[in-house]
């Protein structure tokens, strides 16, 4: 009298197990690819963990919600590559926790904005975007130039990032606070030390046009000027990494 | 239990029963079921054709050989070829020959203005007239000369930018003990004098000596500017930062090093030539 369907329906344990199996499929499809992440992330030259000043800038970027209007993901579309440059690589966000790919472009993509403008321009544009771009809807952030950078959380930030896989060394964590202050101080004679510690593509200078102090503007502009500049595309093998 | 006929509605039941409750079998219309199975079939075909399932060390690449990265590289190359076809001169000729062709401006200026607005207008303004900190490109007063090749080179490597071969143009900070405050204030009066502004004549004559000893090396005799080092002329009315007394004092006190980004790598060689020409055209049209 009973179909297989009915048997199953009336067997509590069996049915619960079936539900568990079906529900776990969703998780499986999300988690399984993480085990193959090694062969998703390209091998590239130049990619390095962010310096403490850049981490601070990134935190400000997230705090101010810049990601709500700006993406950091140049897609493999002609229009994107034409306008913003080489498409983004997985490797370029491997030290981002969380990544800033975004899904909304009220303003332009920022994945390769590093080096596109000068510090002076960034500072003045962030203070009042409409001075440079008529009709811009981007808010002004002039208070960043007034707010001294709080470097105390940086050691903790680096430790937290290390826990999720960013390879900071003990020495880098110990000197996080000084490193942040000195990256914005061209007179500290510290460029060599920072580059030895992080890599030759660290930019050391006064970013916010106020040489005598380090503000949140320094951190944010240092972060923006680094975006998209780390990977050495001359040594990038596109053939080997096509997907 | 079997599906049975429900008297009241005249329909069949599903055959399931929960504590005496039965359910009418009213399946979704056939068209929906067919399209559901069709989409599933299409999905299976796509799995086979396109990159799909991840494996342990690799992923299923698909039989169609599709790669979004190859695809975009091709699309970019196609568009590049199309642009060359539309404006063949820019690949074939060098910047000097291009500058001598009077017909190009009328044909190409509108197209190039889009390129200019995308990349340069944020600093030099839509009208190329510049703004404080960012020089006017229409006025025929050049930092690095109006020679087409020099302009092209400036666009390639930038000024005070990050690349190794960028042009360097640093105005030193004289306030850091390089000049006594008195001398600094005097040389400001001298600069005001040679640029034709209201000034303190007694101080300016002291300032002339200070200028002779400290500034002519870069700004040339009489402050007319030199083209080899990006030091601007101080005798004309074109200013990057400003010719007022207070701005001049600031320039002398803290120094200046304006940054013009280099565009090699970001723009193609042809695009850089187009923009160099665009700047030249604006200079010729502008009020000299």
């Amino acid at each position: 009298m009973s179909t297989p369907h009915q048997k199953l329906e009336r067997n509590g344990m069996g049915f619960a197990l079936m539900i568990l199996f079906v529900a776990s499929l969703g998780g499986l499809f999300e988690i399984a690819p993480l085990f193959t992440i090694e062969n998703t992330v390209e091998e590239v030259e130049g990619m390095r963990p962010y310096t403490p000043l850049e981490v601070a800038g990134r935190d400000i970027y997230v705090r101010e919600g810049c990601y709500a209007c700006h993406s950091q993901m140049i897609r493999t579309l002609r229009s994107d590559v034409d306008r913003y440059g080489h498409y983004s690589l997985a490797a370029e966000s491997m030290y981002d926790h969380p990544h800033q790919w975004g899904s909304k472009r009220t303003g332009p993509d920022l994945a390769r904005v590093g080096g596109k403008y000068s510090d002076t321009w960034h500072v003045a544009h962030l203070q009042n975007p409409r001075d440079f771009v008529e009709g811009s809807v981007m808010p002004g952030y002039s208070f960043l130039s007034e707010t001294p950078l709080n470097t105390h959380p940086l050691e903790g930030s680096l430790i937290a990032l290390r826990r999720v896989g960013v390879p900071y060394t003990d020495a880098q964590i110990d000197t996080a606070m000084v490193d942040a202050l000195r990256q914005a101080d061209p007179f500290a004679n510290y460029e060599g030390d920072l580059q030895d510690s992080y890599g030759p593509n660290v930019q050391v200078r006064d970013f916010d046009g106020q040489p005598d102090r380090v503000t949140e503007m320094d951190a944010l502009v240092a972060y923006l000027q680094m975006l998209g500049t780390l990977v050495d595309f001359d040594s990038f093998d596109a053939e080997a990494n096509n997907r | 239990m079997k599906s049975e006929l429900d008297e009241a509605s005249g329909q069949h039941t599903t055959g399931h029963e929960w504590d005496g409750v039965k359910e009418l079998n009213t399946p979704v219309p056939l068209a929906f079921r067919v399209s559901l199975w069709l989409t599933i079939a299409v999905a299976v075909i796509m799995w086979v054709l396109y990159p799909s399932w991840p494996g342990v060390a690799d992923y299923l690449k698909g039989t169609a050989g599709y790669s979004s990265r190859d695809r975009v590289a091709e699309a970019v190359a196609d568009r590049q070829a199309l642009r060359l076809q539309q404006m063949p001169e820019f690949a074939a000729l060098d910047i000097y020959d291009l500058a001598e062709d009077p017909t190009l401006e009328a044909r190409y200026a509108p197209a190039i203005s889009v390129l200019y607005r995308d990349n340069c207008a944020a600093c030099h303004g839509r009208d190329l007239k510049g703004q404080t900190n960012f020089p006017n490109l229409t006025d025929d007063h050049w930092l690095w000369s109006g020679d087409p090749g020099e302009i092209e080179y400036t666009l390639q490597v930038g000024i005070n930018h990050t690349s190794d071969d960028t042009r360097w143009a640093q105005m030193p900070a004289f306030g850091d003990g390089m000049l006594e405050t008195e001398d600094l204030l005097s040389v400001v009066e001298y600069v005001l004098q040679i640029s034709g502004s209201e000034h303190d004549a007694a101080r300016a004559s002291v300032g002339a000596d200070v200028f002779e000893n400290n500034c002519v090396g870069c700004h040339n005799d009489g402050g007319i500017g030199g083209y080899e080092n990006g030091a601007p002329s101080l005798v004309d009315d074109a200013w990057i930062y400003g010719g007022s007394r207070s701005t001049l004092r600031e320039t002398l006190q803290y120094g200046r090093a304006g940054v013009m980004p280099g565009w090699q790598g970001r723009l193609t060689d042809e695009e850089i030539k187009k923009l160099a020409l665009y700047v030249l055209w604006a200079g010729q049209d502008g009020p000299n």
Side-chain angles (χ1 to χ4, degrees):
Chain A
M1 91 145 208
S2 55
T3 62
H5 198 130
Q6 269 171 338
K7 272 197 205 130
L8 190 66
E9 241 170 34
R10 284 155 202 223
N11 177 345
M13 274 318 273
F15 203 53
L17 285 175
M18 295 292 277
I19 290 176
L20 205 66
F21 170 71
V22 173
S24 69
L25 284 181
L28 188 73
F29 288 130
E30 290 206 344
I31 294 164
L34 294 182
F35 294 106
T36 63
I37 197 101
E38 236 87 288
N39 45 55
T40 309
V41 178
E42 308 86 355
E43 286 201 14
V44 293
E45 304 272 324
M47 197 58 207
R48 57 161 173 82
Y50 304 138
T51 64
L53 190 66
E54 290 157 8
V55 168
R58 194 175 175 283
D59 288 344
I60 294 166
Y61 184 91
V62 174
R63 183 189 77 197
E64 298 302 333
C66 310
Y67 58 80
C69 290
H70 292 287
S71 59
Q72 287 187 26
M73 164 53 72
I74 303 170
R75 298 166 295 177
T76 45
L77 300 176
R78 203 209 73 224
S79 50
D80 263 30
V81 173
D82 237 10
R83 176 162 179 197
Y84 301 116
H86 199 288
Y87 50 81
S88 295
L89 303 179
E92 288 179 287
S93 31
M94 72 177 159
Y95 297 134
D96 273 336
H97 297 282
H99 65 70
Q100 296 300 316
W101 298 341
S103 56
K104 177 83 168 61
R105 282 184 183 160
T106 303
D109 187 275
L110 298 181
R112 293 205 193 286
V113 80
K116 184 180 176 200
Y117 298 109
S118 58
D119 300 343
T120 317
W121 186 87
H122 276 300
V123 171
H125 176 255
L126 283 165
Q127 284 173 346
N128 186 9
R130 276 148 301 280
D131 284 353
F132 292 92
V133 183
E134 216 179 283
S136 170
V137 297
M138 174 161 149
Y141 296 89
S142 51
F143 60 91
L144 295 175
S145 294
E146 311 298 323
T147 319
L149 182 68
N150 179 5
T151 54
H152 292 285
L154 285 174
E155 204 180 310
S157 301
L158 262 54
I159 294 173
L161 286 168
R162 182 157 77 176
R163 291 216 180 116
V164 291
V166 183
Y168 285 113
T169 63
D170 289 335
Q172 285 171 337
I173 290 174
D174 288 343
T175 54
M177 280 169 67
V178 234
D179 284 357
L181 293 176
R182 296 201 179 149
Q183 191 181 345
D185 181 359
F187 302 111
N189 252 331
Y190 199 66
E191 187 163 0
D193 297 64
L194 263 177
Q195 293 185 339
D196 286 346
S197 174
Y198 283 90
N201 50 20
V202 176
Q203 306 177 40
V204 177
R205 56 179 184 266
D206 166 44
F207 293 93
D208 70 347
Q210 306 177 79
D212 46 346
R213 60 187 194 141
V214 179
T215 62
E216 295 196 335
M217 189 63 95
D218 275 304
L220 184 59
V221 173
Y223 172 66
L224 291 173
Q225 293 289 36
M226 173 276 302
L227 285 178
T229 64
L230 296 184
V231 169
D232 173 12
F233 277 98
D234 290 339
S235 68
F236 176 67
D237 184 354
E239 285 289 301
N241 285 295
N242 74 353
R243 342 203 110 96
Chain B
M1 186 163 296
K2 280 263 156 53
S3 167
E4 55 191 42
L5 191 70
D6 176 60
E7 304 266 302
S9 64
Q11 278 184 322
H12 285 275
T13 67
T14 58
H16 296 210
E17 188 193 325
W18 296 270
D19 285 344
V21 179
K22 295 173 188 170
E23 187 185 26
L24 290 182
N25 186 10
T26 45
V28 290
L30 183 67
F32 280 97
R33 261 178 300 156
V34 171
S35 49
L36 173 67
W37 284 106
L38 269 180
T39 50
I40 291 174
V42 169
V44 173
I45 296 171
M46 306 269 277
W47 289 349
V48 177
L49 288 178
Y50 292 100
S52 53
W53 296 89
V56 177
D58 213 342
Y59 58 97
L60 277 189
K61 296 212 160 67
T63 55
Y66 176 87
S67 145
S68 59
R69 292 183 171 185
D70 286 351
R71 182 81 154 253
V72 71
E74 278 161 29
V76 169
D78 285 353
R79 174 53 63 104
Q80 173 74 358
L82 183 68
R83 285 193 184 128
L84 287 185
Q85 211 182 334
Q86 284 167 344
M87 304 190 190
E89 293 86 350
F90 289 91
L93 300 178
D94 77 7
I95 187 76
Y96 292 99
D97 295 335
L98 288 169
E100 270 164 21
D101 186 338
T103 65
L104 294 180
E105 180 172 3
R107 276 188 286 157
Y108 297 142
I112 301 177
S113 77
V114 178
L115 195 60
Y116 173 84
R117 280 207 302 276
D118 280 351
N119 294 290
C120 323
C123 292
H124 294 289
R126 284 187 164 221
D127 56 1
L128 295 94
K129 294 225 170 83
Q131 48 196 324
T132 310
N133 295 337
F134 305 105
N136 186 335
L137 300 176
T138 65
D139 60 5
D140 227 24
H141 295 290
W142 299 100
L143 295 164
W144 296 92
S145 97
D147 177 80
E150 295 295 326
I151 295 180
E152 184 188 26
Y153 188 68
T154 301
L155 294 195
Q156 285 166 347
V157 300
I159 304 170
N160 297 326
H161 197 231
T162 48
S163 77
D164 289 336
D165 38 34
T166 188
R167 292 186 188 278
W168 290 109
Q170 312 264 358
M171 163 73 194
F174 285 93
D176 273 355
M178 273 171 72
L179 277 185
E180 301 293 331
T181 310
E182 275 309 300
D183 287 345
L184 196 150
L185 295 180
S186 303
V187 81
V188 165
E189 295 305 318
Y190 177 72
V191 174
L192 285 170
Q193 181 184 33
I194 59 177
S195 59
S197 302
E198 167 272 316
H199 59 277
D200 177 332
R203 276 221 150 149
S205 68
V206 180
D209 288 337
V210 180
F211 195 88
E212 185 63 35
N213 293 331
N214 294 284
C215 319
V216 293
C218 295
H219 289 280
N220 229 327
D221 289 327
I224 56 166
Y227 285 144
E228 299 79 31
N229 52 13
S233 157
L234 303 175
V235 296
D236 55 27
D237 52 3
W239 296 100
I240 308 175
Y241 303 100
S244 72
R245 184 173 276 115
S246 61
T247 309
L248 287 174
R249 279 186 191 165
E250 203 182 305
T251 300
L252 271 282
Q253 179 81 23
Y254 301 110
R256 303 277 189 191
V259 175
M260 154 80 184
W263 297 88
Q264 221 162 26
R266 212 176 266 279
L267 299 176
T268 63
D269 292 346
E270 290 79 32
E271 285 171 330
I272 289 178
K273 282 191 214 166
K274 287 176 195 171
L275 288 167
L277 270 202
Y278 192 71
V279 169
L280 274 171
W281 294 335
Q284 286 156 2
D285 300 342
N288 286 351

